[in-house]
Amino acid sequence: MIKTDILIIGAGPTGLFTVFEAGLLKLKCHLIDALPQAGGQCSELYPKKPIYDIPGFPEILAGDLTKNLLEQSKQFEPGFTLGERAETIEKQEDGSFIVTTNKGTKHQAPVVAIAGGLGSFEPRKPLISNIASFEDNGVEYFIKDPEVYRDKRVVISGGGDSALDWSIFLADIASEVTLIHRRNEFRGALDSVEKVQELKSKGKINLITPAEVINVIGHGKVEGVVVAQSQHIEKEFIVETDHFIPLFGLSPKLGPIANWGLEIEKNAIKVNNALDYQTNIPGIFAIGDVNTYPGKLKLILCGFHEATLMCQAAYQIINPGKKFVLKYTTVSGIDGFDGTRKESPKAVVKAIK
Amino acid sequence: MEQDINIKITDRDGIIHEVVAPTDMAMNLMEVVRSYELAPEGTIGICGGMAMCASCQCYVLSDHELPEMQDDEDAMLAEAFNVKENSRLGCQIQMTPGMEGLEVQLAPES
């Protein structure tokens, strides 16, 4: 069981900044994120896009902002459970919460801060009516262990970098790789496109374009896919395969949080913004893009503000009755949990004789 | 006001909305849809308008001359579902006086 003061769900900018603000109050944080790395949307969707409305940064790349936030939070030694989605929450008799991920990792904390942004990123699934019945029986949306595909027949669909990269990688592992894309052109990195072309010429990748997988066939597990040529939808044929891997990117969904008994409005979690961004369940807060209240603006800087106020309220829950005096870091400096201390240099006072 | 244009947007339930869109606020079609709440929050413009999610995909029904499709938009539509010949991403269509009378239909949510 992982125990902490504030359990943060979501390791995007708001979640990461919460670590810093909580750290100033001597509160430890642990973050859970469905993505395998911290940074949320900023690092997953647009790391190379400049952001212009972060105070003090006339322009900063989303990826660099994430990097800086990680660096800023490091002194407060946050824990991370990455690549796992927060699945269930249970209130304990002592008022704390136990949050369990989809992989069974348990976390306990007196305060839970949902900083889930737009939700957890889930694979965008193709519009194939029977695909759900084959999930984990030959249909996979992520490649976790390439060895699973050794000497197997694999069909990959998609036209982006993931589809190209995995087709190239599996060409040396699988007995047969078929790449199916709706268009003749691929929009991935140039060297990946050229490599696929080369492997096709060598007969190591079967390329079918422009075409789409419109059905999956098999008894209990995938035995083949039905392919339709995009320009002649009536022209269908079957490609026999052991695995079908659709790679169409990720799409954010609120996910299991929606079933936690929280008040939801417009696909976001309702909070008390007049006080502290607490949800309808005492001890559970929602900050950043995942929350809603009258006048809400989904901006990173608003998430930072919400995180700051939320930490003050968390402090009172964790230290009931204890007085907290707001201090400025310019005056009090920062005492990191790692033993470091940062403070402004002392002014040199010179006496006038 | 002369900066405003009139456009028709068919929502995902098939209802046609005649809306007035300003052309002097650097708005794109996705933002117009959001400002009139023609699609539920969280189902359109998820990536914020960076051609990275296709949640604002729409079918252009009128024959307006639209801005040329850039690589980002083309790449996203290559990955998206329910794509048709007349598919565009609303976030890539800026509201300009030349869009007067534009008619679009929101693509299904996916």
Side-chain angles (χ1 to χ4, degrees):
Chain A
M1 177 92 76
I2 296 165
K3 292 190 176 185
T4 190
D5 294 321
I6 303 180
L7 183 64
I8 303 167
I9 296 166
T14 298
L16 291 174
F17 190 64
T18 306
V19 175
F20 179 81
E21 284 297 324
L24 293 179
L25 306 177
K26 312 271 184 240
L27 302 176
K28 285 279 282 181
C29 293
H30 189 95
L31 300 96
I32 303 175
D33 202 295
L35 293 172
Q37 75 282 324
Q41 236 192 119
C42 282
S43 58
E44 186 62 30
L45 285 184
Y46 49 89
K48 298 292 176 200
K49 291 268 183 187
I51 304 175
Y52 302 103
D53 60 352
I54 304 297
F57 288 93
E59 179 179 339
I60 185 167
L61 297 182
D64 289 344
L65 175 66
T66 299
K67 213 169 79 184
N68 288 355
L69 286 164
L70 272 168
E71 182 63 30
Q72 195 175 18
S73 69
K74 212 166 67 182
Q75 60 204 314
F76 295 118
E77 299 182 320
F80 289 94
T81 299
L82 298 174
E84 299 185 27
R85 190 180 61 189
E87 201 78 13
T88 60
I89 190 163
E90 296 161 81
K91 182 132 187 173
Q92 305 302 293
E93 276 182 20
D94 64 357
S96 69
F97 298 92
I98 292 182
V99 173
T100 308
T101 68
N102 58 331
K103 291 188 182 163
T105 312
K106 289 187 181 294
H107 311 74
Q108 187 170 19
V111 170
V112 173
I114 301 171
L118 298 164
S120 57
F121 284 82
E122 296 184 8
R124 206 180 283 131
K125 300 179 181 182
L127 308 172
I128 297 171
S129 58
N130 65 344
I131 198 161
S133 61
F134 290 102
E135 286 170 3
D136 295 326
N137 286 310
V139 168
E140 293 100 28
Y141 302 105
F142 293 109
I143 295 178
K144 290 167 193 155
D145 176 13
E147 280 304 311
V148 167
Y149 307 101
R150 185 164 293 282
D151 303 325
K152 299 280 171 58
R153 297 165 300 177
V154 175
V155 169
I156 292 175
S157 66
D161 283 315
S162 294
L164 292 167
D165 292 347
W166 281 115
S167 297
I168 294 164
F169 192 86
L170 292 179
D172 283 333
I173 292 176
S175 62
E176 196 178 292
V177 174
T178 302
L179 175 58
I180 298 172
H181 181 39
R182 190 192 306 140
R183 295 185 180 183
N184 288 322
E185 307 83 28
F186 286 85
R187 288 287 180 184
L190 184 62
D191 56 341
S192 302
V193 176
E194 286 173 353
K195 184 76 182 163
V196 165
Q197 187 62 47
E198 185 191 321
L199 289 168
K200 185 203 167 197
S201 310
K202 288 180 180 168
K204 298 204 64 165
I205 290 179
N206 308 317
L207 202 56
I208 305 177
T209 62
E212 280 180 78
V213 173
I214 58 164
N215 213 347
V216 183
I217 52 172
H219 298 91
K221 64 179 189 59
V222 173
E223 289 168 20
V225 291
V226 180
V227 179
Q229 293 284 358
S230 296
Q231 285 154 349
H232 309 282
I233 205 78
E234 72 282 359
K235 198 177 162 192
E236 294 176 7
F237 56 94
I238 290 170
V239 176
E240 291 183 357
T241 188
D242 303 305
H243 294 274
F244 172 44
I245 309 170
L247 297 173
F248 292 102
L250 300 168
S251 169
K253 300 262 184 260
L254 200 51
I257 291 171
N259 307 319
W260 285 9
L262 299 163
E263 212 177 326
I264 308 277
E265 186 183 277
K266 293 184 177 177
N267 216 25
I269 301 168
K270 253 179 110 171
V271 292
N272 180 351
N273 70 307
L275 279 173
D276 49 17
Y277 305 99
Q278 200 155 188
T279 66
N280 58 314
I281 302 178
I284 303 182
F285 296 79
I287 48 176
D289 286 359
V290 79
N291 76 12
T292 187
Y293 51 81
K296 168 71 182 177
L297 290 179
K298 292 190 179 192
L299 295 172
I300 291 174
L301 73 100
C302 296
F304 290 166
H305 167 78
E306 293 165 14
T308 308
L309 296 193
M310 182 280 291
C311 284
Q312 308 289 320
Y315 181 88
Q316 294 304 332
I317 291 173
I318 296 164
N319 303 289
K322 203 168 166 184
K323 280 221 162 173
F324 173 77
V325 180
L326 177 70
K327 292 177 182 175
Y328 299 110
T329 54
T330 44
V331 177
S332 60
I334 299 171
D335 288 308
F337 296 164
D338 57 359
T340 59
R341 168 149 184 86
K342 288 180 188 158
E343 60 184 329
S344 58
K346 295 278 177 282
V348 178
V349 180
K350 208 171 181 182
I352 300 169
K353 289 181 184 171
Chain B
M1 287 172 63
E2 60 185 9
Q3 292 101 330
D4 293 346
I5 55 169
N6 301 288
I7 59 178
K8 276 187 193 169
I9 301 169
T10 305
D11 68 20
R12 289 172 180 148
D13 295 320
I15 299 165
I16 299 170
H17 303 264
E18 293 186 22
V19 302
V20 176
T23 60
D24 58 351
M25 289 180 67
M27 280 181 103
N28 59 48
L29 181 60
M30 175 272 286
E31 290 163 338
V32 172
V33 174
R34 282 176 70 158
S35 65
Y36 282 97
E37 298 185 356
L38 302 183
E41 183 72 26
T43 68
I44 190 155
I46 289 170
C47 76
M50 288 182 280
M52 287 178 165
C53 71
S55 62
C56 64
Q57 185 193 166
C58 60
Y59 307 125
V60 179
L61 307 176
S62 53
D63 55 359
H64 282 70
E65 197 172 322
L66 297 176
E68 198 181 337
M69 200 181 289
Q70 301 297 304
D71 278 355
D72 285 351
E73 183 180 0
D74 194 29
M76 191 64 247
L77 286 172
E79 293 280 281
F81 303 124
N82 299 307
V83 175
K84 296 182 183 177
E85 290 284 310
N86 57 346
S87 284
R88 292 294 303 259
L89 297 182
C91 66
Q92 302 301 300
I93 300 174
Q94 291 296 315
M95 294 292 95
T96 61
M99 300 291 166
E100 171 65 37
L102 181 72
E103 291 179 37
V104 297
Q105 179 185 358
L106 301 184
E109 188 189 352
S110 62

